[in-house]
Amino acid sequence: MPASRTSRLSVRTSPAELILWNHLARSHGHVTTSDWIRSLLASVEFSGDDGPSVSDELRKLRTQLSRVGNNLNQLAHSANCGDAVNCEAVLDEIEILIHQLDRILSRSRLRTY
């Protein structure tokens, strides 16, 4: 049975921040933004664990980038053979990886100061 939550913590945001936070919560597998924020607070502030190490995350991203490169090679081969090519899914995957790298690099810079 989930913990009874009778206290409230409020945070004011801009409409753009709220949209971004809602999107980030969903992209990290959380049903609600509140659940995501509770998860962040618990992992960082209370346990001292701020997630996977940067090297682990970079290794996973390198594997994903390798797969994207393979997809691009297959698309280029198809295009050179005259086949119709739809690159939208590969470009979407690249954009997701860029955002993941941005978050990792941001966290990495914060740790060095």
Side-chain angles (χ1 to χ4, degrees):
M1 180 172 178
S4 174
R5 293 193 170 92
T6 58
S7 298
R8 180 183 186 105
L9 171 67
S10 296
V11 177
R12 293 195 181 274
T13 69
S14 69
E17 285 174 322
L18 184 58
I19 290 169
L20 174 63
W21 291 357
N22 286 334
H23 173 74
L24 287 170
R26 301 311 176 282
S27 70
H28 283 78
H30 295 276
V31 175
T32 65
T33 304
S34 296
D35 181 53
W36 177 58
I37 290 173
R38 272 193 297 280
S39 168
L40 290 173
L41 290 172
S43 67
V44 174
E45 291 299 320
F46 303 126
S47 70
D49 177 15
D50 61 350
S53 70
V54 171
S55 61
D56 289 343
E57 289 188 55
L58 290 175
R59 199 172 298 108
K60 289 177 187 174
L61 286 172
R62 192 214 176 278
T63 299
Q64 290 177 337
L65 283 171
S66 178
R67 290 177 181 152
V68 169
N70 186 39
N71 289 345
L72 285 172
N73 283 336
Q74 291 173 2
L75 291 169
H77 178 74
S78 293
N80 287 332
C81 291
D83 296 334
V85 175
N86 180 357
C87 299
E88 185 175 352
V90 174
L91 293 173
D92 289 343
E93 191 174 348
I94 290 170
E95 186 174 344
I96 289 168
L97 292 173
I98 288 170
H99 290 300
Q100 288 176 338
L101 282 170
D102 286 344
R103 284 194 304 272
I104 291 169
L105 292 173
S106 174
R107 274 200 340 253
S108 177
R109 282 191 291 269
L110 290 174
R111 288 181 184 160
T112 61
Y113 294 110

